[in-house]
Amino acid sequence: MISVLVCTHGSAAVGLVETAEMICGKQSQCKALAFTMGQPLEEFKQQVQQVLQSFNSSKVLCLTDLKGGTPFNILVNLTSEYPDLKIVTGVNVPMLLQAFIQRPNLELGQLLPEIIQAGKQGIDNYDINSINSENTESEEF
């Protein structure tokens, strides 16, 4: 099975995984890591390496909050050690749910476009007019 590592600034990673697990159930081969304010970079890198080594699979999906941020940069630097590591930025709950649901059935290369699409589709703007319009009649709330 594809392993999932969620790395973000602060406690967002933990919150995202807990939220998705409320919907999909407890997940194996999944870990959330928080890069905390003032944490030394080397310490965080060691935490990431420990998690990657603990996974039973070389196929690892890494979801981060921000392209160019510390969690992202550390993961990018580790791709030389872990060539099968795939990194996707902009993590959100729909993206994580899709990863949890589809990872037993898809290869990592097939999973990537699925989670990116789910992440994008999870972003929308609703106001009272859009809720009452005919465009949303078929949507479930």
Side-chain angles (χ1 to χ4, degrees):
M1 180 186 305
I2 297 166
S3 299
V4 177
L5 173 59
V6 182
C7 288
T8 64
H9 295 84
S11 61
V14 174
L16 287 164
V17 170
E18 286 177 353
T19 299
E21 286 183 336
M22 286 178 66
I23 298 165
C24 288
K26 184 73 176 149
Q27 298 292 305
S28 63
Q29 292 297 107
C30 178
K31 193 74 172 168
L33 281 180
F35 176 61
T36 58
M37 188 175 293
Q39 183 177 19
L41 296 179
E42 191 58 37
E43 178 184 298
F44 184 68
K45 181 180 178 181
Q46 288 173 0
Q47 287 177 330
V48 172
Q49 287 175 308
Q50 288 172 352
V51 169
L52 294 174
Q53 291 167 2
S54 74
F55 286 145
N56 295 330
S57 171
S58 64
K59 308 289 185 194
V60 181
L61 171 63
C62 298
L63 302 172
T64 68
D65 53 353
L66 186 63
K67 183 178 180 180
T70 299
F72 172 84
N73 291 337
I74 285 176
L75 288 165
V76 167
N77 288 331
L78 288 172
T79 57
S80 60
E81 274 182 71
Y82 301 91
D84 293 328
L85 198 71
K86 299 298 180 195
I87 306 164
V88 178
T89 63
V91 63
N92 61 23
V93 173
M95 180 186 289
L96 193 51
L97 289 172
Q98 189 71 7
F100 287 171
I101 292 166
Q102 294 294 333
R103 70 185 175 139
N105 307 316
L106 299 176
E107 294 294 323
L108 188 52
Q110 297 169 310
L111 183 60
L112 292 174
E114 295 289 324
I115 65 165
I116 292 169
Q117 180 181 357
K120 288 178 182 178
Q121 288 177 337
I123 300 169
D124 210 337
N125 176 33
Y126 284 95
D127 61 24
I128 194 67
N129 293 326
S130 68
I131 292 171
N132 293 327
S133 75
E134 64 186 14
N135 294 335
T136 60
E137 286 179 13
S138 64
E139 290 189 34
E140 294 180 24
F141 294 97

